[in-house]
Structures are given as structure tokens and as C-alpha cells.
Amino acid sequence: MSGDTTRRDMLGQVVRGTVLAGMGGAALFLTKKADGQMVWQVNASKCINSRLDAADAEVCTLCTTECVIALSAVRAVNEYSKCGRCSICPAYFDVTSAVGDDGLPSQKLCPRDAIERKPIGKIDPEDPANNFYEYIIDEVKCDGCGRCVLKCKEPLGLGSIVLKVRYNKCVDCNRCAISIACPKDAISQVIKTEGLESSLASHTD
Ligand code: SF4
Ligand code: SF4
Ligand code: SF4
């Protein structure tokens, strides 16, 4: 075998190795992308209803009216770890309504009665401010109108309720109809991760 032939063989092996390594990297990248499927999601820091400085804004109902799914694939989600379990929740009660004999606002905020108020532990009638409640959103009733989301803000609320695209409802349109209409560019495609999915799954009914 001549010196030239040997060099050509070695060069060929190096090139083949480089190409194969490149293909391996691309395959790995594609595998990662396939694992982390792209999904439409609400960016809470941009959404009019979800952003923390928006308590006085006008509610935006485009997530309800624009989605191609009945009621909408966007629903309100209470992130329980952030919820203050307040006695008078501004997302549950219409805090501008008249106060009843029980000392509570007489009307609820949700137009679809989709939020359940459940006492935690023993209720002390003498000390209402020291009673705590769990606020559970019924996703079958919720249409993602965002009213409760907008009102769960400081100083009365803690911003624990946000709007989320629910993956078990979304049909993953090529171009999300809400994203086209959203005035804040708050709906975009993100990589679906296991953490995101499980954190959402903990709020399903
Ligand atoms: S359309 Fe945009 S701003 Fe309006 S509720 Fe949906 S995500 Fe928020
Ligand atoms: S988003 Fe609208 S329908 Fe859903 S729980 Fe909140 S107020 Fe009710
Ligand atoms: S992708 Fe389609 S189904 Fe999903 S939230 Fe957007 S409009 Fe609704």
C-alpha cells in the first residue's frame, strides 16, 4: 500500500467520523425536541389578566372568545403553593358587592360559578379572619374568562391564579387563534417539559 493511499484512507476515516458524529448530534437534538414537544402556552408576565401589576386593568376575555375549542382550551389554574387561602378571596367574591349578615360580600365574582370555597380545618365563627379556605377551580365549568385571574392580586390576593393552556384540551393548532388576537403577544410556543406537565396535572379535576 502506497503512502498516498494510506493518507487518503486515514483522511476518509476522519471525514466519515466527523459526519457520523454530526449526524449523532443532530439525532440527539431531534430526540430532545421530540421529547420536549412544542406547545402553545400563556406567558403570565405578559398576559393582561395574569401579570402581577394588572389588578386595575380591564379584563381581557380573548382567550375565551378566540379559541377554536368549546369554552376554550385555556382555563384558570390556582397554583396552591402560592395561594394565601384567604377568608375573603377577591377572586371568589365580588368584593364590591354589599356585605351580608355573615360579614362576607354577598356576590361571587365568577360568572360560571366555577370556583368552590372549601374550609380548611375547624371554622371559628368568632374569629373569621383566622379561618382558611381552599379555592378549587372546576375546569369543566371554567371558560378561561380571566376575571378571577385579574383580581387575585396584591393587596387582597397573592397572584396564585393564572391562565394556562390545558394540553388535554388544546388541539395544538398550527397557528393558535388566540395568539393571533392577543394584544400583548402573550401566547407563544414553548417546549413541553415533564415538570410543566406534572405541575399542571396537579390542578386538573
Ligand atoms: S388574549 Fe392574551 S392578554 Fe388576553 S387573556 Fe389571553 S393571553 Fe391574556
Ligand atoms: S376564569 Fe372565569 S370562568 Fe374560570 S374560574 Fe375564573 S372567573 Fe370563573
Ligand atoms: S392552539 Fe388552538 S385549541 Fe389550543 S389554545 Fe390555541 S386556538 Fe385554542
Side-chain angles (χ1 to χ4, degrees):
M1 193 183 292
S2 74
D4 275 356
T5 308
T6 307
R7 270 198 303 279
R8 251 201 323 273
D9 286 350
M10 281 177 66
L11 193 61
Q13 281 171 12
V14 169
V15 170
R16 270 197 300 280
T18 307
V19 169
L20 284 174
M23 286 170 68
L28 187 64
F29 175 73
L30 288 173
T31 308
K32 278 188 175 162
K33 288 282 270 190
D35 277 351
Q37 172 202 343
M38 299 301 282
V39 286
W40 294 100
Q41 192 49 268
V42 180
N43 182 334
S45 66
K46 290 185 175 180
C47 169
I48 290 171
N49 302 326
S50 300
R51 45 187 297 175
L52 292 176
D53 59 355
D56 295 329
E58 275 289 302
V59 69
C60 173
T61 56
L62 290 172
C63 272
T64 307
T65 56
E66 299 303 310
C67 182
V68 299
I69 295 293
L71 288 189
S72 180
V74 177
R75 307 290 163 104
V77 173
N78 191 1
E79 295 183 337
Y80 294 121
S81 60
K82 295 184 191 163
C83 181
R85 295 153 175 83
C86 320
S87 174
I88 299 181
C89 167
Y92 178 81
F93 291 108
D94 175 354
V95 292
T96 64
S97 64
V99 175
D101 294 341
D102 54 4
L104 297 172
S106 50
Q107 285 173 33
K108 294 178 192 171
L109 184 74
C110 176
R112 299 179 60 82
D113 198 17
I115 307 180
E116 184 191 353
R117 182 177 187 259
K118 221 167 127 185
I120 299 171
K122 202 167 160 244
I123 292 295
D124 178 357
E126 303 300 319
D127 189 6
N130 205 26
N131 294 327
F132 295 93
Y133 296 84
E134 196 171 18
Y135 293 93
I136 303 155
I137 296 168
D138 182 345
E139 290 199 9
V140 176
K141 290 184 182 172
C142 175
D143 66 359
C145 79
R147 288 178 174 81
C148 60
V149 177
L150 184 67
K151 290 300 169 194
C152 179
K153 301 281 161 54
E154 301 263 15
L156 295 178
L158 293 175
S160 70
I161 306 181
V162 291
L163 289 175
K164 297 270 186 195
V165 175
R166 303 307 255 155
Y167 301 140
N168 58 347
K169 297 184 172 67
C170 177
V171 293
D172 198 20
C173 307
N174 191 33
R175 181 79 201 271
C176 171
I178 309 169
S179 78
I180 297 169
C182 177
K184 297 293 178 189
D185 195 22
I187 303 257
S188 57
Q189 282 187 302
V190 295
I191 294 178
K192 181 169 148 187
T193 60
E194 219 169 90
L196 178 63
E197 182 69 341
S198 57
S199 75
L200 296 182
S202 65
H203 299 294
T204 50
D205 42 2

